[in-house]
């Protein structure tokens, strides 16, 4: 695995411009001159030929690292270290993933986010024994600054993402040392599911991961998951902004439970109580009544449900939208459907590296979607389930297993992992859902699904005070508690519809992951409130 | 004010293409044919020449408005109605802001967001008395669909944003009726501060506005404020994304008070308690320890402070960022400074209409900034204050009046409303602030100011377990309660710095408004938890 001198020379043509090479060379000369001034702690013997080329920076906080040389230093990212860079000398700041000392040399795996490269330091006329010993003693996960020469290798390095080059270390400075005892190893946490369980292939279980999230976050799959999650948010907002939507912010502390009294967290609010919003529902609708026309909001929503399932959290990120329409709530379904199509295209086109990194560890089938998306009526879905042997009536709600089965049936028939189910039975929807004027048992409401799990629930909302009051009474809701909500519709309100999307669910299902705790950076459930 | 026939003909050249005109004409014919089928409620006499051209749609919810004619109807926005559109017939959906019946005619002010136009309906061979009466009886703030001809006027209409054209109404349908009694009138709420108080120039006070926020939101200034607020968020995210930052989401329910125990809201969490996060501080830093390198997050933060001032809320939107740096925390100050410069440029260049709309009602001086921004040392600021006669020591914290005075002094000297104050005394900063290694009384921390008020507080954070422990002890903080926080730095962490920005404060100060409740759509303070 060690590169040879010949091999290095073979691929000597650098991809860098002469100017860049000169700059790097100058940088290297400067470093050579720097000597002891930087190090506070390196205890080197007087005869050490490597003196001033290794040690610890101490805690970086200005004065100890305030030379203009350091402040002008140019760093290269591991992902940029390719065969075209061979023979160039570069500075990198990376974590030490693992190291293996062997006689007079020490091999290291250096990591920056999802990228790794092999580093090598060996005793030579220019490298002292003390320096190699210092290198071997650096603890895993410590952060180090390395100056070294990019070198081609003869045999591909399987264990690193940079397979054709390694780094021959000439300087080595410790930036932040990790404690020697780690609660988990990043390489264990990153091990693909497909690897066998035999031998030393240790698994890291979910709770250990979450208890030590800062270590767990360092795996390539997690780096990718949270980059992709940021991408979903960005796409959601950019697509809606293009469609004329305005972002709003809605309060999380509210004076009464927004969706009935159940499953709501209570907050001590000065001398009284407040409640944590279970959705921005009322406030989105108030923004519409306030003439903002099309709004979206991204923020925390809270559910005090004692559900310990793979897809429930007590706090998650809601991607909510609401819009006024002219004559038919299908105008809104069309906007939301198109939002998803554009989002799926954006992920496919711009996040392929992230998708691949997750697939590498967890495996999954690519996400399939149609353009425009498939929209079925609820009764059609029920008929498909009945045909498949499920005993269900047109007005029954779908159980989670029913939803999953229907997802499989739809995929088999229509070849899509995303679809819309329209016209839910009125009885299974919240009181503010607009009834279907043609069939009093149905409603102008819809759910949307990814891989057979619900990721959006939405509807036309009642914008008429009398009907809203009547429906609230029918649901035995205390009118006094929702007075402000009902009053919002007293001063003219356009017909409107919308929906709420669970961000973590979208990412989980898009990536085919099995647990929502994998897509919430710091998940909250009835049993977990830390870290 | 009424347009004359001659005047209309003078500006007959339409800006619409022949095709568009033809389409509009066809639309008009169709509407004429539609007759009674649409109306559910219009009680018209048999002889009514306007029968089928006015009435109420009833509640729009599919079946009553499900004709393909309606679904294909093209609407024009009031802002598009200019002299170039004269003689064109258009559909608009607008609110009735005011109406005034006078003999056989009725004048209306029609509003869509911040845009208004005069509408006119008069008895004629084609318009019945009943129709004009119906028009006069529509309540203020009701939403109506109008079909009419765009007509030029002889004298500019001062009371509307569209001053050179009015709309001659031919069809009129009620979409959503407002109750006759309104708690406030939008025209009162929109009245410029500069107008005198005499006569009928009614003011609407802050609490009445907030109690009836959905009406208050309909003023041009409020439409502009919340559009600009969305712009600040968009700029914040887009600029940081361009700089390689990743968006994260941090939990709001946490197991221990993140910044010491004071001013924190308690939540009943199943059988125990949780607390509402006062900032995403710990979680941003954990993301850095988890190798995400540069992160930002936008979300609710909570402060249980019993402060009833113009600039405190118990819940507000935090724009937070945190980034690893190489050798000096000024790398981060530079990034944040550049973020603000780009944000101010973005607002200036893309939100001038909004800025003007706010100025129209509230008046304010334009916001001044320098590129690159001004950065002063704290001691320099203190010296300026002392020179101005303030009795203050180098290590004292700045009071709010001191900050405001310093803002004025800086503006007078440097001609900027934005500046950075660096190197705060260690004693006035939180325990996790990195001390200055050269002067133990100072710290690597900074605040940023707009119009003399703090809008960002930030610092290099201590990334070393031993120093962090020592500083926590110095502050008498119970180490057990912050164990998870301290442990985050045990496994290697790059030096990092960041800051938190209050969104509502930025918008308030950018626009020169006097109260943060004007820039929070649904503000929360010790006395207000509704709507």
């Amino acid at each position: 695995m060690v590169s040879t001198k010949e091999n290095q020379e073979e691929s000597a043509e650098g991809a860098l411009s002469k100017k860049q090479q000169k700059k790097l060379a100058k940088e290297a000369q400067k470093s050579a001159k720097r000597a002891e001034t930087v190090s506070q702690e390196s205890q080197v013997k007087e005869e050490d030929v490597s003196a001033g080329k290794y040690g610890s920076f101490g805690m970086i906080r200005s004065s100890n690292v305030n030379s203009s040389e350091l402040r002008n230093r140019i760093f290269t990212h591991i992902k940029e270290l390719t065969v075209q860079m061979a023979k160039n000398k570069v500075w990198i700041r990376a974590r030490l993933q693992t190291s293996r000392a062997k006689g007079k040399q020490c091999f290291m795996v250096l990591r920056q986010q999802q990228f790794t490269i092999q580093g090598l330091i060996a005793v030579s006329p220019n490298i002292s024994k003390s320096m190699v010993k210092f290198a071997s003693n650096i603890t895993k996960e410590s952060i180090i600054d390395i100056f070294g020469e990019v070198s081609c290798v003869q045999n591909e390095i399987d264990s690193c993402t940079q397979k054709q080059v390694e780094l021959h270390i000439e300087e080595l400075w410790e930036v932040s040392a990790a404690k020697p005892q780690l609660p988990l190893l990043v390489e264990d946490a990153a091990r693909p599911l497909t690897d066998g369980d035999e031998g030393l292939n240790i698994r890291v279980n979910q709770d250990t991961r979450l208890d030590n999230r800062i270590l767990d976050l360092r795996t390539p799959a997690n780096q990718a998951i949270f980059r992709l999650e940021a991408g979903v948010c960005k796409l959601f907002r950019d697509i809606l902004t293009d469609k004329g939507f305005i972002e709003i912010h809605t309060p999380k502390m509210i004076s009464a439970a927004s969706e009935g009294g159940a499953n709501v967290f209570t907050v001590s609010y000065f001398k009284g109580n407040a409640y944590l919003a279970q959705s921005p529902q009322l406030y989105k609708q108030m923004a519409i009544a306030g003439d903002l026309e099309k709004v979206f909001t991204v923020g925390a929503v809270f559910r005090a449900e004692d559900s310990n399932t793979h897809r429930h959290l007590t706090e998650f990120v809601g991607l909510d939208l609401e819009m006024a329409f002219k004559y038919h709530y299908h105008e809104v379904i069309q906007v939301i459907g198109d939002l998803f199509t554009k989002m799926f295209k954006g992920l496919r086109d711009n996040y392929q590296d992230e998708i691949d990194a997750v697939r590498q560890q967890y495996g999954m089938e690519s996400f399939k979607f149609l353009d425009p998306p498939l929209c079925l009526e609820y009764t059609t879905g029920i008929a498909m389930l009945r045909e498949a042997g499920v005993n269900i009536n047109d007005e029954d709600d779908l159980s989670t297993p029913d939803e999953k089965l229907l997802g499989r049936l739809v995929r088999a028939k229509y070849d899509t992992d995303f679809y819309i189910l329209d016209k839910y039975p009125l009885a299974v929807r919240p009181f503010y859902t607009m009834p279907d004027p043609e069939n009093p048992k149905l409603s102008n409401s819809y759910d949307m699904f990814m891989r057979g799990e619900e990721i959006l629930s939405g509807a036309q909302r009642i914008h008429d005070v009398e009907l809203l009051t009547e429906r609230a009474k029918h649901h035995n809701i205390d009118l006094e508690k929702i007075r402000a909500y009902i009053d919002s519709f007293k001063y003219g309100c356009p017909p409107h519809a919308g929906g709420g999307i669970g961000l973590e669910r979208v990412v989980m299902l898009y990536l085919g992951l099995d647990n929502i705790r994998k897509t919430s950076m710091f998940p909250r459930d009835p049993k977990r409130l830390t870290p």
Side-chain angles (χ1 to χ4, degrees), chain A:
Chain A
M1 307 232 291
V2 188
S3 66
T4 64
K5 185 82 193 191
E6 289 75 22
N7 190 14
Q8 283 168 40
E9 274 164 6
E10 264 167 41
S11 52
E13 72 278 18
L16 294 185
S17 70
K18 284 242 162 103
K19 199 173 158 195
Q20 284 175 307
Q21 288 182 19
K22 214 167 161 187
K23 198 163 184 182
L24 286 168
K26 211 169 158 192
E27 185 69 38
Q29 284 171 8
K30 273 195 196 167
S31 299
K33 281 188 217 146
R34 185 162 45 87
E36 296 87 347
T37 54
V38 169
S39 168
Q40 294 188 317
E41 295 175 22
S42 68
Q43 297 161 341
V44 290
K45 293 172 200 160
E46 272 179 53
E47 323 75 352
D48 190 343
V49 291
S50 299
K53 295 198 170 174
Y54 67 98
S56 166
F57 272 130
M59 199 190 317
I60 289 181
R61 48 167 173 162
S62 319
S63 69
N64 53 342
V65 287
N66 208 3
S67 70
S68 65
E69 182 215 326
L70 282 181
R71 295 191 66 178
N72 294 324
R73 180 172 288 171
I74 292 166
F75 281 84
T76 306
H77 197 286
I78 287 178
K79 70 181 164 199
E80 298 163 344
L81 303 179
T82 58
V83 286
Q84 286 77 30
M85 300 266 304
K87 293 237 161 172
N88 283 304
K89 295 190 176 186
V90 295
W91 279 101
I92 64 161
R93 176 167 292 180
R95 285 194 189 273
L96 178 67
Q97 178 157 310
T98 56
S99 73
R100 186 164 46 93
K102 205 176 165 184
K104 291 181 172 177
Q105 52 189 11
C106 178
F107 293 93
M108 298 172 158
V109 174
L110 305 166
R111 190 186 72 234
Q112 235 177 329
Q113 284 98 43
Q114 62 270 52
F115 304 95
T116 46
I117 190 169
Q118 177 164 273
L120 167 64
I121 184 166
V123 177
S124 77
N126 299 316
I127 304 282
S128 68
K129 264 192 196 175
S130 302
M131 183 169 171
V132 176
K133 196 180 167 199
F134 174 81
S136 330
N137 285 338
I138 294 173
T139 49
K140 286 177 186 181
E141 294 301 312
S142 293
I143 296 173
I144 47 183
D145 281 357
I146 282 175
F147 183 70
E149 187 174 286
V150 182
S151 304
C152 291
V153 295
Q154 222 158 12
N155 302 311
E156 285 212 343
I157 302 170
D158 284 340
S159 54
C160 292
T161 63
Q162 305 316 89
K163 299 186 184 308
Q164 300 180 307
V165 288
E166 62 182 8
L167 204 56
H168 290 188
I169 298 167
E170 299 183 5
E171 283 203 45
L172 175 56
W173 299 91
E174 195 177 70
V175 170
S176 174
K179 301 280 172 210
Q181 296 296 328
L182 299 174
L184 62 84
L185 291 184
V186 173
E187 48 179 335
D188 290 337
R191 186 159 291 125
L193 278 184
T194 46
D195 283 12
D197 270 321
E198 65 283 344
L200 285 169
N201 282 350
I202 292 163
R203 301 268 166 232
V204 183
N205 75 32
Q206 183 100 282
D207 275 328
T208 306
R209 287 175 186 274
L210 294 179
D211 289 341
N212 302 283
R213 192 58 152 167
I214 58 155
L215 282 163
D216 183 44
L217 281 178
R218 297 176 190 170
T219 65
N222 277 336
Q223 292 284 322
I225 286 170
F226 293 103
R227 278 177 165 75
L228 186 129
E229 191 155 277
V232 170
C233 279
K234 183 172 160 52
L235 286 163
F236 175 81
R237 289 185 303 242
D238 288 354
I239 295 163
L240 290 178
T241 301
D242 278 350
K243 290 178 186 285
F245 281 71
I246 297 163
E247 181 177 24
I248 61 168
H249 300 280
T250 66
K252 310 308 168 209
M253 296 189 295
I254 56 177
S255 59
S258 51
E259 319 235 348
N263 302 332
V264 64
F265 288 112
T266 306
V267 182
S268 299
Y269 196 81
F270 301 99
K271 285 169 187 159
N273 280 334
Y275 304 93
L276 291 180
Q278 293 158 290
S279 87
Q281 182 68 26
L282 166 57
Y283 296 95
K284 286 191 299 181
Q285 292 190 253
M286 286 176 77
I288 298 299
D291 283 354
L292 288 168
E293 260 199 330
K294 301 175 184 179
V295 298
F296 69 86
T297 186
V298 176
V301 291
F302 305 90
R303 304 280 164 92
E305 276 178 89
D306 200 357
S307 302
N308 294 280
T309 77
H310 79 286
R311 62 173 193 162
H312 284 92
L313 294 171
T314 52
E315 177 181 343
F316 61 92
V317 177
L319 308 175
D320 274 88
L321 72 159
E322 199 76 24
M323 69 176 263
F325 61 81
K326 288 296 189 293
Y327 296 119
H328 202 294
Y329 76 99
H330 281 183
E331 296 165 35
V332 180
I333 288 191
Q334 207 170 12
V335 166
I336 303 177
D338 187 53
L339 162 67
F340 275 103
T341 304
K342 289 205 165 79
M343 212 147 75
F344 297 145
K345 284 183 182 172
L347 293 175
R348 180 195 65 195
D349 298 343
N350 304 317
Y351 292 86
Q352 204 54 54
D353 286 351
E354 284 75 13
I355 294 166
D356 290 343
V358 176
R359 183 178 286 126
Q360 176 80 9
Q361 176 159 5
Y362 294 107
M364 80 266 192
E365 289 187 67
S366 288
F367 189 84
K368 292 187 171 183
F369 61 96
L370 302 175
D371 178 15
L374 176 68
C375 185
L376 300 174
E377 293 225 340
Y378 191 80
T379 47
T380 309
I382 295 289
M384 285 173 75
L385 284 172
R386 269 202 297 259
E387 214 169 284
V390 178
N391 183 13
I392 189 169
N393 291 315
D394 277 1
E395 286 144 49
D396 290 347
D397 204 359
L398 291 176
S399 67
T400 304
D402 289 345
E403 285 183 355
K404 287 201 174 173
L405 174 56
L406 186 54
R408 289 196 296 274
L409 296 171
V410 167
R411 192 177 206 268
K413 188 165 176 184
Y414 299 99
D415 201 32
T416 180
D417 287 312
F418 175 78
Y419 74 101
I420 302 166
L421 215 46
D422 185 25
K423 301 225 80 68
Y424 269 67
L426 181 61
V428 306
R429 308 297 276 197
F431 74 95
Y432 49 72
T433 308
M434 183 64 87
D436 181 338
E438 285 161 1
N439 182 341
K441 292 194 166 172
L442 298 183
S443 64
N444 290 356
S445 71
Y446 41 86
D447 275 7
M448 303 195 185
F449 296 86
M450 286 173 64
R451 299 199 203 251
E453 296 193 44
E454 180 248 307
I455 43 101
L456 173 138
S457 195
Q460 177 179 355
R461 330 294 186 177
I462 300 173
H463 60 286
D464 175 271
V465 171
E466 282 68 37
L467 180 59
L468 190 57
T469 307
E470 181 193 315
R471 294 296 304 159
K473 279 184 189 161
H474 179 85
H475 279 256
N476 294 317
I477 290 170
D478 181 350
L479 290 178
E480 270 324 298
K481 289 203 171 155
I482 57 164
R483 178 60 49 206
Y485 182 66
I486 291 181
D487 283 354
S488 304
F489 305 105
K490 277 168 73 174
Y491 311 118
C493 183
H496 60 285
I501 303 169
L503 172 63
E504 294 87 349
R505 276 196 193 177
V506 167
V507 178
M508 169 179 78
L509 294 164
Y510 183 80
L511 292 172
L513 298 171
D514 62 352
N515 196 309
I516 200 160
R517 289 160 189 78
K518 287 195 170 75
T519 57
S520 172
M521 196 174 277
F522 303 103
R524 294 293 179 254
D525 65 33
K527 291 172 183 159
R528 177 173 291 280
L529 201 51
T530 54

PDB file of all heavy atoms in Angstrom, chain A residues 36-50:
ATOM      1  N   GLU A  36      10.710  26.832  16.425  1.00  0.00           N
ATOM      2  CA  GLU A  36      10.056  26.671  17.734  1.00  0.00           C
ATOM      3  C   GLU A  36       9.019  27.735  18.082  1.00  0.00           C
ATOM      4  O   GLU A  36       8.252  27.557  19.013  1.00  0.00           O
ATOM      5  CB  GLU A  36      11.098  26.653  18.862  1.00  0.00           C
ATOM      6  CG  GLU A  36      12.068  25.492  18.851  1.00  0.00           C
ATOM      7  CD  GLU A  36      13.272  25.781  17.988  1.00  0.00           C
ATOM      8  OE1 GLU A  36      13.223  26.768  17.209  1.00  0.00           O
ATOM      9  OE2 GLU A  36      14.241  25.036  18.067  1.00  0.00           O
ATOM     10  N   THR A  37       9.029  28.841  17.380  1.00  0.00           N
ATOM     11  CA  THR A  37       8.194  29.961  17.832  1.00  0.00           C
ATOM     12  C   THR A  37       6.733  29.579  18.050  1.00  0.00           C
ATOM     13  O   THR A  37       6.081  30.108  18.939  1.00  0.00           O
ATOM     14  CB  THR A  37       8.245  31.119  16.819  1.00  0.00           C
ATOM     15  OG1 THR A  37       7.904  30.606  15.535  1.00  0.00           O
ATOM     16  CG2 THR A  37       9.614  31.747  16.791  1.00  0.00           C
ATOM     17  N   VAL A  38       6.228  28.705  17.237  1.00  0.00           N
ATOM     18  CA  VAL A  38       4.808  28.391  17.336  1.00  0.00           C
ATOM     19  C   VAL A  38       4.491  27.452  18.486  1.00  0.00           C
ATOM     20  O   VAL A  38       3.513  27.626  19.216  1.00  0.00           O
ATOM     21  CB  VAL A  38       4.304  27.781  16.008  1.00  0.00           C
ATOM     22  CG1 VAL A  38       2.915  27.215  16.179  1.00  0.00           C
ATOM     23  CG2 VAL A  38       4.324  28.837  14.920  1.00  0.00           C
ATOM     24  N   SER A  39       5.346  26.451  18.649  1.00  0.00           N
ATOM     25  CA  SER A  39       5.038  25.406  19.623  1.00  0.00           C
ATOM     26  C   SER A  39       5.144  25.914  21.048  1.00  0.00           C
ATOM     27  O   SER A  39       6.078  26.590  21.418  1.00  0.00           O
ATOM     28  CB  SER A  39       6.001  24.249  19.439  1.00  0.00           C
ATOM     29  OG  SER A  39       5.905  23.383  20.527  1.00  0.00           O
ATOM     30  N   GLN A  40       4.146  25.591  21.846  1.00  0.00           N
ATOM     31  CA  GLN A  40       4.246  25.912  23.265  1.00  0.00           C
ATOM     32  C   GLN A  40       4.653  24.692  24.071  1.00  0.00           C
ATOM     33  O   GLN A  40       5.192  24.797  25.151  1.00  0.00           O
ATOM     34  CB  GLN A  40       2.896  26.384  23.793  1.00  0.00           C
ATOM     35  CG  GLN A  40       2.455  27.696  23.202  1.00  0.00           C
ATOM     36  CD  GLN A  40       1.224  28.188  23.922  1.00  0.00           C
ATOM     37  OE1 GLN A  40       0.313  27.410  24.202  1.00  0.00           O
ATOM     38  NE2 GLN A  40       1.204  29.479  24.241  1.00  0.00           N
ATOM     39  N   GLU A  41       4.276  23.520  23.524  1.00  0.00           N
ATOM     40  CA  GLU A  41       4.388  22.338  24.374  1.00  0.00           C
ATOM     41  C   GLU A  41       5.337  21.255  23.874  1.00  0.00           C
ATOM     42  O   GLU A  41       5.627  20.321  24.607  1.00  0.00           O
ATOM     43  CB  GLU A  41       2.997  21.717  24.552  1.00  0.00           C
ATOM     44  CG  GLU A  41       2.063  22.653  25.303  1.00  0.00           C
ATOM     45  CD  GLU A  41       0.666  22.074  25.371  1.00  0.00           C
ATOM     46  OE1 GLU A  41       0.537  20.839  25.225  1.00  0.00           O
ATOM     47  OE2 GLU A  41      -0.287  22.846  25.559  1.00  0.00           O
ATOM     48  N   SER A  42       5.773  21.339  22.635  1.00  0.00           N
ATOM     49  CA  SER A  42       6.584  20.224  22.136  1.00  0.00           C
ATOM     50  C   SER A  42       7.894  20.145  22.902  1.00  0.00           C
ATOM     51  O   SER A  42       8.668  21.073  22.950  1.00  0.00           O
ATOM     52  CB  SER A  42       6.849  20.391  20.633  1.00  0.00           C
ATOM     53  OG  SER A  42       7.688  21.469  20.396  1.00  0.00           O
ATOM     54  N   GLN A  43       8.048  19.006  23.567  1.00  0.00           N
ATOM     55  CA  GLN A  43       9.276  18.835  24.351  1.00  0.00           C
ATOM     56  C   GLN A  43      10.260  18.018  23.531  1.00  0.00           C
ATOM     57  O   GLN A  43      10.212  16.802  23.507  1.00  0.00           O
ATOM     58  CB  GLN A  43       8.937  18.147  25.663  1.00  0.00           C
ATOM     59  CG  GLN A  43       8.000  19.013  26.498  1.00  0.00           C
ATOM     60  CD  GLN A  43       7.284  18.194  27.552  1.00  0.00           C
ATOM     61  OE1 GLN A  43       7.206  16.976  27.457  1.00  0.00           O
ATOM     62  NE2 GLN A  43       6.776  18.881  28.556  1.00  0.00           N
ATOM     63  N   VAL A  44      11.111  18.705  22.841  1.00  0.00           N
ATOM     64  CA  VAL A  44      12.019  18.009  21.934  1.00  0.00           C
ATOM     65  C   VAL A  44      13.448  18.100  22.466  1.00  0.00           C
ATOM     66  O   VAL A  44      13.807  19.054  23.136  1.00  0.00           O
ATOM     67  CB  VAL A  44      11.951  18.618  20.519  1.00  0.00           C
ATOM     68  CG1 VAL A  44      10.617  18.296  19.879  1.00  0.00           C
ATOM     69  CG2 VAL A  44      12.177  20.105  20.568  1.00  0.00           C
ATOM     70  N   LYS A  45      14.177  17.056  22.149  1.00  0.00           N
ATOM     71  CA  LYS A  45      15.582  17.076  22.564  1.00  0.00           C
ATOM     72  C   LYS A  45      16.366  18.025  21.661  1.00  0.00           C
ATOM     73  O   LYS A  45      15.974  18.295  20.540  1.00  0.00           O
ATOM     74  CB  LYS A  45      16.163  15.660  22.443  1.00  0.00           C
ATOM     75  CG  LYS A  45      15.537  14.688  23.431  1.00  0.00           C
ATOM     76  CD  LYS A  45      16.014  13.287  23.129  1.00  0.00           C
ATOM     77  CE  LYS A  45      15.072  12.265  23.737  1.00  0.00           C
ATOM     78  NZ  LYS A  45      15.193  10.957  23.110  1.00  0.00           N
ATOM     79  N   GLU A  46      17.489  18.437  22.126  1.00  0.00           N
ATOM     80  CA  GLU A  46      18.259  19.394  21.340  1.00  0.00           C
ATOM     81  C   GLU A  46      18.721  18.824  20.003  1.00  0.00           C
ATOM     82  O   GLU A  46      18.796  19.532  19.018  1.00  0.00           O
ATOM     83  CB  GLU A  46      19.482  19.881  22.136  1.00  0.00           C
ATOM     84  CG  GLU A  46      19.142  21.091  22.999  1.00  0.00           C
ATOM     85  CD  GLU A  46      20.325  21.558  23.804  1.00  0.00           C
ATOM     86  OE1 GLU A  46      21.388  21.783  23.198  1.00  0.00           O
ATOM     87  OE2 GLU A  46      20.198  21.682  25.041  1.00  0.00           O
ATOM     88  N   GLU A  47      18.977  17.505  19.964  1.00  0.00           N
ATOM     89  CA  GLU A  47      19.495  16.930  18.725  1.00  0.00           C
ATOM     90  C   GLU A  47      18.396  16.592  17.736  1.00  0.00           C
ATOM     91  O   GLU A  47      18.648  16.076  16.668  1.00  0.00           O
ATOM     92  CB  GLU A  47      20.276  15.639  18.985  1.00  0.00           C
ATOM     93  CG  GLU A  47      21.106  15.574  20.230  1.00  0.00           C
ATOM     94  CD  GLU A  47      20.294  15.376  21.507  1.00  0.00           C
ATOM     95  OE1 GLU A  47      19.028  15.440  21.460  1.00  0.00           O
ATOM     96  OE2 GLU A  47      20.903  15.167  22.551  1.00  0.00           O
ATOM     97  N   ASP A  48      17.149  16.826  18.098  1.00  0.00           N
ATOM     98  CA  ASP A  48      16.023  16.406  17.265  1.00  0.00           C
ATOM     99  C   ASP A  48      16.046  17.135  15.916  1.00  0.00           C
ATOM    100  O   ASP A  48      15.834  18.347  15.849  1.00  0.00           O
ATOM    101  CB  ASP A  48      14.716  16.710  18.011  1.00  0.00           C
ATOM    102  CG  ASP A  48      13.512  16.085  17.323  1.00  0.00           C
ATOM    103  OD1 ASP A  48      13.623  15.706  16.135  1.00  0.00           O
ATOM    104  OD2 ASP A  48      12.471  15.973  17.984  1.00  0.00           O
ATOM    105  N   VAL A  49      16.278  16.379  14.822  1.00  0.00           N
ATOM    106  CA  VAL A  49      16.301  17.020  13.502  1.00  0.00           C
ATOM    107  C   VAL A  49      14.927  17.556  13.108  1.00  0.00           C
ATOM    108  O   VAL A  49      14.808  18.402  12.240  1.00  0.00           O
ATOM    109  CB  VAL A  49      16.784  16.053  12.379  1.00  0.00           C
ATOM    110  CG1 VAL A  49      18.255  15.733  12.555  1.00  0.00           C
ATOM    111  CG2 VAL A  49      15.930  14.788  12.331  1.00  0.00           C
ATOM    112  N   SER A  50      13.889  17.044  13.764  1.00  0.00           N
ATOM    113  CA  SER A  50      12.538  17.490  13.425  1.00  0.00           C
ATOM    114  C   SER A  50      12.047  18.616  14.327  1.00  0.00           C
ATOM    115  O   SER A  50      10.887  19.028  14.236  1.00  0.00           O
ATOM    116  CB  SER A  50      11.562  16.313  13.528  1.00  0.00           C
ATOM    117  OG  SER A  50      11.920  15.306  12.622  1.00  0.00           O
TER     118      SER A  50
END
